[in-house]
Amino acid sequence: MLFVLDSLYQYGHNQKMRQALRQLRWIGSAKKDLLAMPDEVQQSFGFALYNAQVGLLHPDAKPLKGFGSAGILEIVEDWRGNAYRAVYTVRFAKAVYVLHCFQKKSKHGIETPAADMNLIRARLKEAEALAKGVGL
């Protein structure tokens, strides 16, 4: 049976899985911040970003509230009692832009803190300029 499944790919019956990866672009300190997180969190976020690169939605990805569309997504990872978040956008055809990676410090509520939301908005503007080819 394995041969039959392999041949399906060979003949293009599941060609969708052969999509080229969209470029992954990091805004501000997002990459450095992700690399400072525990390995398990990095792996989880990395898999979610890979899904975005191939045009899939990771099962745990959800639209970030306050942006009005599903173009700005977040992944939340709870690891050893700490909450980590990665925010990225799939609004642009050529690349996935990682806007912010951070550990949520507040223990009150699930809302993203205002300072982080402001940073995400500023980095989204930077990503928009980069996607249009406008240097900052």
Side-chain angles (χ1 to χ4, degrees):
M1 187 63 160
L2 182 59
F3 173 75
V4 173
L5 293 177
D6 287 343
S7 66
L8 286 176
Y9 189 80
Q10 177 180 347
Y11 296 111
H13 295 288
N14 56 353
Q15 191 71 20
K16 186 176 171 182
M17 297 307 293
R18 270 195 180 170
Q19 293 178 357
L21 289 177
R22 287 170 43 186
Q23 186 179 17
L24 193 61
R25 300 200 61 188
W26 303 87
I27 305 296
S29 64
K31 186 173 186 178
K32 179 183 74 111
D33 297 337
L34 176 65
L35 293 175
M37 293 178 181
D39 288 342
E40 293 81 0
V41 175
Q42 290 181 43
Q43 290 174 14
S44 176
F45 289 167
F47 184 63
L49 293 171
Y50 171 77
N51 274 270
Q53 286 181 278
V54 297
L56 300 174
L57 181 64
H58 186 276
D60 294 334
K62 61 182 180 180
L64 182 62
K65 291 181 178 159
F67 288 91
S69 78
I72 310 297
L73 301 163
E74 78 170 330
I75 296 288
V76 177
E77 181 69 28
D78 292 319
W79 191 75
R80 294 193 176 176
N82 295 304
Y84 298 90
R85 294 183 180 192
V87 178
Y88 60 97
T89 182
V90 293
R91 283 185 180 175
F92 311 108
K94 294 186 179 183
V96 173
Y97 290 85
V98 184
L99 304 174
H100 192 30
C101 297
F102 62 104
Q103 179 180 355
K104 185 173 176 284
K105 302 285 186 180
S106 173
K107 301 296 182 192
H108 300 97
I110 60 171
E111 283 188 20
T112 303
D116 290 303
M117 291 296 285
N118 291 336
L119 182 61
I120 292 165
R121 283 187 185 93
R123 289 182 176 177
L124 178 58
K125 286 182 182 180
E126 185 177 342
E128 288 169 344
L130 290 169
K132 290 179 184 175
V134 178
L136 295 177

